[in-house]
Amino acid sequence: MRLRALLDTDALGLRLLGGEDELDRTVRGVMTTDLRDPSRYLSGGELVLTGLAWRRDATDSEPFVRILASAGVTALAAGEAELGPIPEDLVAACARHRLPLFAVNESVAFATITEHVVRQVSGERAGDLAAVVDRHRRMMTSGPAGGGPDVVLDLLGSDLDLRAWVLSPAGRLIAGSPGAEPGLPSAVCAALAGEHLAAVRTGRRGPYRVAVGGTTYSLFPIRSSTRGTGTAGAPAGAPGSRDVRETVLSDWLLAVEADAGDWPAERLDLLEGVTQLISVERDRRDAARTVRRRLAQEVLELVQTGAAPGEIAARLRVAAPVLLPGLGAAPHWQVVVARVEWDGGEIEGGAVAQTLLEEILVDPLSSGPEPSDRIAVAHTGEEAIALVPLPAVSSEHDGSEAGLHADTLLAAVRDPLSAGLDDDGRLTLGVSASVHSAEGLRGALEEARHARRVAAARAGRVCAAGHQELASHVLLLPFVPDDVRRAFTARLLDPLRDYDRRHRAELIPTLEAFLDCDGSWTRCAARLHLHVNTLRYRVGRIEQLTSRDLSRLEDKLDFFLALRMS
């Protein structure tokens, strides 16, 4: 049963003191205690009732609540019969640990609440328990070794009539049950992935219920035992678990077209079992990538240590049939470099960036995990490097237009991953041109690294740049020291921003449009829907405030660079 149902039952005398957003949690049992540490008697999912006899002073609330939250308790209900109003230190501790807190009216006995919960929970379990056990048995015998996520999703469709999909954190469709065909549109996949990542970062407990395009979905995290929490089964962000940022960008999710808010506990347990089965399959596929990762590591070590081209070429000949089975000719290659960086720098992002590249360097229109098996990704420290094979192009082309493009990658992953990076992380990508020989790989690696630094100089949580941009002025911008960049842009643009703020003017947009129009008065006035005289007045005000002359090439260039760096 749900906490919301308890609160709506007037006879129980419960008053909510905190945790309104958590009222859809499931209650699976009830326990009364006044022990300072009742953890040995807790198994998770309980409503804990207490008379506060364990509390001697305000410092006791924090450790008591922390113990309950670590044990997975659903909520705490404190009685007012003996001590009167609930202490504020207990309210604050429950808020910090996102543990719903109820006050029990002094006229209501704990036994009344206990009997009500036991009666409701027992009734819900009785109806469907046999079927749940049978489904679990079938999935355990046919799931991980019998076709992967598709087999498990097929059982969801046939037994529970649920349409479900497995998605990557970047919004790629990995698997879907037969009843869920055709697959979800890419825009819906991206939206669901973004909602999932945002919920994980805020510490909410799954499943997460969201509405996209008028349809309600329930999102279940698929956490891997090899990349997951420090405590088996502990929710992300729970005490004792690893930092959620270590896994948030790499874990898959299960999207079910249903509202799980009204489900009985047994059905929720079943879906949790489904996620565990899919997680086993995810771990198996990660293990299968070991050979490709090793190939990438060996090739990149040869490239970075200046090995002879013949030695690198020999290693590429070994890698080609592994990555592109059946390919007759040696392919072209591209290099993609990625970094995931978190504020504070205490979390290494190389492993996360490696997993991300293996997910996003796939044709956005493809589904299933197989295409990603054609990509070899290594990581060192904070940096992940992907070696991407491309089919050999015809003699009429040099390969420069084939393969991956930075803007395409960015468009496919920016929105969902930005939600996972929240306000304290960044993902930056650099993409090289394609090369057709071992001699070109070192240059391609440096090119991808330069492009990534160009991307890092831009605003935004997810940024990418390609080799095409390295021939322009933007190549220089990432290497300008931050204090010099700030001083340069402030000197030119701060007077205009201040004027715009005080007078509700539009000098900055006018300056951008004037430069975009190459200083043409008539074209700029037409773009801004202004009279030419009004435009001349604004440009004159810009020159007056900055002591610059927009008829001079040098001053135009300074303004252009300042706008790009701001």
Side-chain angles (χ1 to χ4, degrees), residues 94-106:
C94 288
R96 280 194 296 273
H97 291 277
R98 302 178 67 90
L99 184 68
L101 175 64
F102 298 94
V104 182
N105 190 280
E106 60 181 349

Side-chain angles (χ1 to χ4, degrees), residues 37 64 151 164 210 329 352 367 389 427 497 539 555:
D37 181 3
F64 180 79
V151 171
V210 300
V352 175
S367 63
L427 166 66
R497 294 192 179 108
V539 170
D555 287 342

Side-chain angles (χ1 to χ4, degrees), residues 378-392:
H379 82 85
T380 54
E382 297 296 326
E383 184 180 67
I385 304 169
L387 192 63
V388 183
L390 305 172

Side-chain angles (χ1 to χ4, degrees), residues 146-160:
D150 298 282
V151 171
V152 181
L153 298 184
D154 182 33
L155 287 175
L156 285 181
S158 62
D159 282 18
L160 299 182

Side-chain angles (χ1 to χ4, degrees), residues 84-124:
I86 307 304
E88 287 299 323
D89 49 271
L90 180 59
V91 176
C94 288
R96 280 194 296 273
H97 291 277
R98 302 178 67 90
L99 184 68
L101 175 64
F102 298 94
V104 182
N105 190 280
E106 60 181 349
S107 63
V108 178
F110 282 176
T112 301
I113 300 174
T114 300
E115 289 173 3
H116 178 85
V117 172
V118 170
R119 186 168 57 251
Q120 293 295 320
V121 171
S122 299
E124 289 175 354

